[in-house]
Amino acid sequence: MRSEARRAAQYAIATLISGQAPLIELGPKILSTIARSGRWLFAALWVLDKNGKLVCHSTWGLPERDIDEFESETRRRVFSSGEGLPGRVFVSRVPTWLPNLEAETNFPRALFARMSGLQAAFVFPLIGSTGINGVIELYSDEVAPPDDDLMRLAGALGIQVGLYLERERTEEELRRQKEAAVMASQAKDRFLAALSHELRTPLNPVLMWACSASEDKNLDPELQDGLKMICRNIEMEARLIDDLLDLTRIARGKLQINLQPCRADALLNHALEIVRSQLFAKNLRLSVDLTASNHQIMADPTRMEQVFWNLLKNAYKFTPENGEVVVRSYDGARDRVIFEISDSGRGIDAALMPKLFTAFEQGTRSGEGLGLGLAICKAVLEMHQGRIKAANKPSGQGAVFTVELKTIPALSVIAPVQRKPAAVSSRKLNILIVEDHDNTATVMSKLLKHNGHEVVTASTVRQALEVLRTTPLDLLVSDLGLPDGNGFQVMRELAKISDAKGIAISGYGMEEDLERSSRAGFSAHLTKPIDVQKLQETIQQVTAAA
């Protein structure tokens, strides 16, 4: 009968450990199943900790017997290799029968065993594929001779449970690594958001002032061109910051596109305007031949312009002085337009070619940049059902990047995408600017006053709330990060007392920031650096319905 009970216990344990339950749940069940197959009063499961010590993971005791003292001492103990009954079996790696505990000299818990009436013990190792993973102890209140059948069964049980412990440890390590990876990813996101803020904030007043000043028709043309060059270079810096954030969005599957009918050639030409000063600085010849019969596509204009800008940036970066950059378009297969951007540099290293569109890969052509542009280009184009490929010219002198895009019928496009003159709000607005960066607040205030608005500034949440209580407002323009709180608080308070609109501004560009802005009641979110045209257009949009 006892032999049948033991076989049933072996089957029950196999059933238990075949599932996905964790050790914290299965430990007592395993001990109970084994102990109840014989006349055992107490059982303990010992496992290895990260320091190679044996610690008590689970215990089981017969409910009707008082063995609390021995159980407490067992749970308190930690054994090294060779120490106590668990350590002794850990070294020998074989099941050990102890018919009379009174005779044992290597038994630190002897006093507590005597107090609980425990007379004999059976200890067996739990062995996995890589070694011993733990030990199980069984205790009885009877002095008993060795049981050969139980000794043989313990070998099989030890392997069963040992392999389960090994699997549990592996899964726990995988869980730990996954949690560490998630935490590292979150830390990276926080770092990128903070870096974005710190880099964008000082660029903001410079871009706003330079772009506004460049529109002054009374300026000397040379000075006007210089200011426009400043604007273009700040836009380039902002795009580099965007690349960092975009890589995170791509990895998380959160890169969003807003499709609309537009002209790809107009987007390409605007990207050319941004890099034109860099081409002239290296005395590069620029050849543009856009002969495709249809440049009209359904795309996110900002993202598509980003693709062209990255490719043009690569072209001038890797082309030596007095070299040439060639941009052309032509008809591809049906409903397809092809763009080619080529340079006269040294070409792409053969070793780099297979991983050219992988993030942070730069090759040996240049140590400049972050190695993100091409990876982002590929992701953006794939979201537009497009393709990109790279090759070296047959002569070996220069690289050729080919972009293939899907076209749409010409009649569905109303007008080319182009930058229009800034729309200035036609009515005088009472505006509160909340911004703790003094230069940004000063420049923004002067520009809005120049457009005829009444402007009040505050640099903290406390100051902003005081203005809300005393001054009727039409519009709030608030930075999100403030010394004593955040712009969300200001917007929520404004919404309680007024129907005035709000525009959030920040150096953070993550989706979470945009979502939080919307939930707080802001009608729009602008990411620094902000040019004057974008600010004026946004003010016009959010106040038009007011």
Side-chain angles (χ1 to χ4, degrees), residues 261-282:
C262 54
R263 291 187 60 105
D265 54 343
L267 298 173
L268 176 59
N269 281 323
H270 187 251
L272 275 170
E273 286 303 312
I274 296 175
V275 303
R276 195 174 294 276
S277 61
Q278 280 72 29
L279 297 173
F280 289 157
K282 295 178 72 173

Side-chain angles (χ1 to χ4, degrees), residues 63-378:
E64 53 266 29
R65 292 293 298 267
D66 182 11
I67 48 179
D68 293 347
E69 293 291 338
F70 185 72
E71 180 178 16
S72 296
E73 181 65 13
T74 296
R75 285 189 172 277
R76 188 183 68 83
R77 286 281 182 173
V78 176
F79 290 120
S80 300
S81 177
E83 183 183 5
L85 301 187
R88 171 178 162 185
V89 171
F90 180 79
V91 172
S92 69
R93 299 167 65 93
V94 295
T96 302
W97 190 279
L98 305 163
N100 184 5
L101 291 175
E102 291 289 344
E104 294 299 320
T105 58
N106 185 10
F107 187 35
R109 293 168 290 163
L111 174 62
F112 297 93
R114 192 179 307 115
M115 292 169 57
S116 298
L118 302 178
Q119 300 292 321
F122 177 54
V123 189
F124 61 94
L126 308 175
I127 299 174
S129 61
T130 58
I132 186 167
N133 295 314
V135 168
I136 284 180
E137 295 180 310
L138 299 169
Y139 288 89
S140 172
D141 61 351
E142 297 178 347
V143 175
D147 185 328
D148 292 337
D149 180 62
L150 180 57
M151 297 277 279
R152 286 191 297 270
L153 180 62
L157 287 174
I159 292 174
Q160 274 185 306
V161 180
L163 289 172
Y164 165 74
L165 290 179
E166 193 171 275
R167 187 187 80 193
E168 174 75 11
R169 185 178 295 130
T170 300
E171 290 176 351
E172 177 59 32
E173 178 62 19
L174 289 174
R175 283 192 293 269
R176 188 195 66 78
Q177 290 181 5
K178 182 178 179 180
E179 290 172 0
V182 169
M183 292 178 64
S185 178
Q186 292 172 344
K188 179 195 69 176
D189 289 349
R190 289 192 298 270
F191 168 76
L192 288 177
L195 178 66
S196 169
H197 180 270
E198 294 304 315
L199 292 176
R200 290 176 190 271
T201 297
L203 294 177
N204 196 55
V206 181
L207 180 64
M208 294 187 74
W209 176 83
C211 291
S212 177
S214 69
E215 298 299 323
D216 187 345
K217 303 302 181 183
N218 297 320
L219 278 182
D220 179 88
E222 186 176 350
L223 179 57
Q224 198 171 49
D225 289 343
L227 289 170
K228 289 180 178 178
M229 179 193 66
I230 291 173
C231 294
R232 287 194 299 269
N233 279 276
I234 293 174
E235 286 179 350
M236 290 180 66
E237 290 298 319
R239 285 172 184 267
L240 289 174
I241 300 169
D242 287 338
D243 280 354
L244 281 171
L245 298 180
D246 280 345
L247 185 69
T248 298
R249 294 184 184 106
I250 291 168
R252 296 166 63 186
K254 290 193 173 183
L255 187 68
Q256 297 180 349
I257 58 173
N258 299 308
L259 299 178
Q260 63 186 72
C262 54
R263 291 187 60 105
D265 54 343
L267 298 173
L268 176 59
N269 281 323
H270 187 251
L272 275 170
E273 286 303 312
I274 296 175
V275 303
R276 195 174 294 276
S277 61
Q278 280 72 29
L279 297 173
F280 289 157
K282 295 178 72 173
N283 197 30
L284 301 181
R285 297 185 304 278
L286 174 63
S287 173
V288 180
D289 183 25
L290 305 180
T291 59
S293 61
N294 185 7
H295 288 107
Q296 297 158 351
I297 60 174
M298 183 68 73
D300 182 320
T302 302
R303 293 296 180 191
M304 196 54 60
E305 188 179 304
Q306 180 184 21
V307 169
F308 289 134
W309 175 77
N310 269 311
L311 296 178
L312 290 167
K313 177 169 63 98
N314 273 357
Y316 77 70
K317 184 167 68 174
F318 296 127
T319 302
E321 289 190 5
N322 304 311
E324 183 180 33
V325 173
V326 177
V327 180
R328 69 191 192 102
S329 72
Y330 55 89
D331 293 333
R334 186 170 178 269
D335 298 332
R336 292 278 166 173
V337 59
I338 309 295
F339 288 89
E340 272 189 8
I341 298 176
S342 61
D343 61 62
S344 58
R346 57 170 287 183
I348 303 168
D349 299 332
L352 176 64
M353 194 68 81
K355 51 188 178 180
L356 187 63
F357 297 100
T358 302
F360 302 110
E361 293 291 345
Q362 294 174 291
T364 58
R365 294 212 295 173
S366 171
E368 301 175 7
L370 302 173
L372 303 178
L374 293 179
I376 293 169
C377 286
K378 183 174 185 291

